[in-house]
């Protein structure tokens, strides 16, 4: 098992800003997995070494991430990041617009699938929790 | 040939804000092509009906676009949009950071290829023109 | 909300030719969604401005569409278009052959997944409805 | 080296129908390559076992192929198939329309890149040769 | 229906080495499908003409396959091949490492999704069966 | 600029094993680039934290990498890794076979393009240098 260094701590701090409610359970979910190091690497590298870099603020990074994942048609990770983008200050309308924007570059299916399923689900979850 | 309606005019106006120097030559390049309607549709739909929508400002739309194209590894269109993103107020550092962010989702090759070739070329072109 | 112009009407007319039974419920499904404009844009652009263009008949456009979505491995939209392709005159055998053809270009998995799941489901649905 | 069986002969016959002028040089180009079997397999499988199947005519198979490769953004193979599609009876306009149709599913960049570069080049080559 | 030639027999033999327990039911599953030839082609070409080639041993071919499918984010076929890779002598740790390796090239989501779902499921199935 | 920690040193050591002749110039090429940290991150993460992990030997990791990049159709990085795979003990024939194997999963074009261009170029370069 790889050790948790200062990048891991920086990463946890960013994750907390993105989703203070769920970040601990996400990190914990790797513990008993077949690849515990994968969780440590994801926190240290993705959040501790990329997301935490100066030069672009967290809010902009989350918009870029939602756009990139929509363009790639990646449904699994989008839910977490759409929720995170709303947590750091983007409105639902802004998120939908950024996702619609991707239709130009990756076609209608990627936009339709992600907006009508993932984004809709995140918005409804938050409404149910009065966020 | 399809007609140029009000969406086309709205699209031209957005294109002018993205790249006042080159937008006319880009639009004109379709005129004698094998698909002249493709240029009209691109201006009307992409810029007149998507980019011009309220709900997300132009600056954010350009960040989302640079992120999405980097994630898709799309090199051909990136040059235009990186230049446009700089024109509407993003700094070179912010653009590089948004592109590096995509490494998490689409891997190192897409980031390396686009940053070290396309972004570098745009930055040098602008330096040569004292923009 | 964007307005429904003549392209929207042209689009509805094409959709009716592709799937007279279901097109209204598909269009209506966007109404109460988080992105009502997305449905209007999809009808106006995809069907009103692309599918309705002269120069290639509707039957050929549907074959091209089934081929393209199979090559991309896009499962969500294929069901609608395979059904549409059968509605405008392609046989089940022709559809399966066009999809098998894509194996050359995008590999066995994309063909296997789409033929054995989506196409099979469409064919069985139609048999159950005696279409 | 694998042997050339009856599927190889069937494949050569199909290739001849697609491009009677160039098919021999294409097949020969594999002979001194680092993977001579790859050429034999491509002829036997792609043309001898897929393209030659009954159930869908050659003309429709070429439209499906041009559509699929455009959707995938595959530039290298498109040139051969666009030329082949014209050889078996599709018009330039029909090819451009089938490629534009893919914009709906895979976005503007894939259509723009392939139409304005590959298709344009094929059309000009044929004009220069008076085909 | 295409005939089952010597390549088909060679293919069956390879499939038996990859998964002696399940290969017959996999091949049989195509029999009553809408594309029975697809199963015959898959066995003859994939296993009889590619997997059975000299020049690279079966064990290495299975590692290459697991890596390739992980990089492509292809979830449907991975389960069969991860199980096969374990059958021919790779350890669970080696498989997880090969999949993690792909994160560099295709990003974290493809690795996370396939390791935490598909590989985990295969490992648990085998544990339940005392393999 | 991020600092070069022990992972960077471990990464350099792996890079040296993959390509002792060129690794220094590759690392140096980032120094004056618009993204100097990208080179440091690539060495530390890709080579220092992934390639150097126990559980799968370097030779197997390079086969997995060549397979994955071929499946993705990634041409830019393949040259480096094919050369590296030959350096650590794979034969030219084994590399070609692993790449041909990917045809099953990602189609003929990805295999044809990468084998006939990139692999061929690497093999010829080495022959010219008497490696």
């Amino acid at each position: 098992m790889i050790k948790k260094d200062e990048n891991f701590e920086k990463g946890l701090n960013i994750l907390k800003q993105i989703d203070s409610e769920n970040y601990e359970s996400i990190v914990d979910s790797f513990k008993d997995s077949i690849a515990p190091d994968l969780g440590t690497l994801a926190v240290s590298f993705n959040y501790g070494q990329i997301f935490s870099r100066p030069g672009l603020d967290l809010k902009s990074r989350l918009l870029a991430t939602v756009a990139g994942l929509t363009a790639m048609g990646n449904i699994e990770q989008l839910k977490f990041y759409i929720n995170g983008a709303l947590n750091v200050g983007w409105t639902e309308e802004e998120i939908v617009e950024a996702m619609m924007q991707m239709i130009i570059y990756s076609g209608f299916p990627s936009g339709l699938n992600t907006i009508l399923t993932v984004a809709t689900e995140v918005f409804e979850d938050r409404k149910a929790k009065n966020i």
Side-chain angles (χ1 to χ4, degrees), chain A:
Chain A
M1 292 252 288
I2 57 174
K3 64 179 188 209
K4 292 170 184 169
D5 59 9
E6 60 178 317
N7 287 322
F8 185 82
E9 291 308 317
K10 268 203 281 184
L12 277 189
N13 186 37
I14 297 284
L15 268 169
K16 198 174 175 176
Q17 292 172 57
I18 298 178
D19 189 346
S20 61
E21 192 186 1
N22 299 305
Y23 84 101
E24 282 179 320
S25 68
I26 291 170
V27 176
D28 286 350
S29 71
F30 285 92
K31 273 187 194 157
D32 301 318
S33 81
I34 60 173
D37 281 356
L38 190 53
T40 311
L41 281 172
V43 174
S44 303
F45 182 73
N46 297 352
Y47 301 99
Q49 293 191 272
I50 299 285
F51 259 101
S52 67
R53 289 174 60 78
L56 188 67
D57 64 286
L58 182 60
K59 196 180 165 190
S60 296
R61 286 185 186 273
L62 280 162
L63 186 75
T65 296
V66 169
L69 290 172
T70 303
M72 295 175 74
N74 186 306
I75 284 178
E76 287 81 2
Q77 265 72 20
L78 257 182
K79 198 177 168 183
F80 172 74
Y81 287 113
I82 291 174
N83 191 45
L86 295 168
N87 286 339
V88 300
W90 293 103
T91 65
E92 294 190 354
E93 189 183 11
E94 287 170 325
I95 294 300
V96 169
E97 288 299 325
M99 295 172 79
M100 281 182 68
Q101 175 87 13
M102 293 304 106
I103 286 173
I104 301 175
Y105 312 104
S106 55
F108 270 84
S110 60
L112 286 169
N113 295 346
T114 52
I115 292 173
L116 297 184
T117 60
V118 191
T120 301
E121 198 184 334
V122 175
F123 295 179
E124 286 173 357
D125 281 1
R126 293 171 69 94
K127 197 170 284 170
K129 292 182 189 162
N130 285 312
I131 302 177

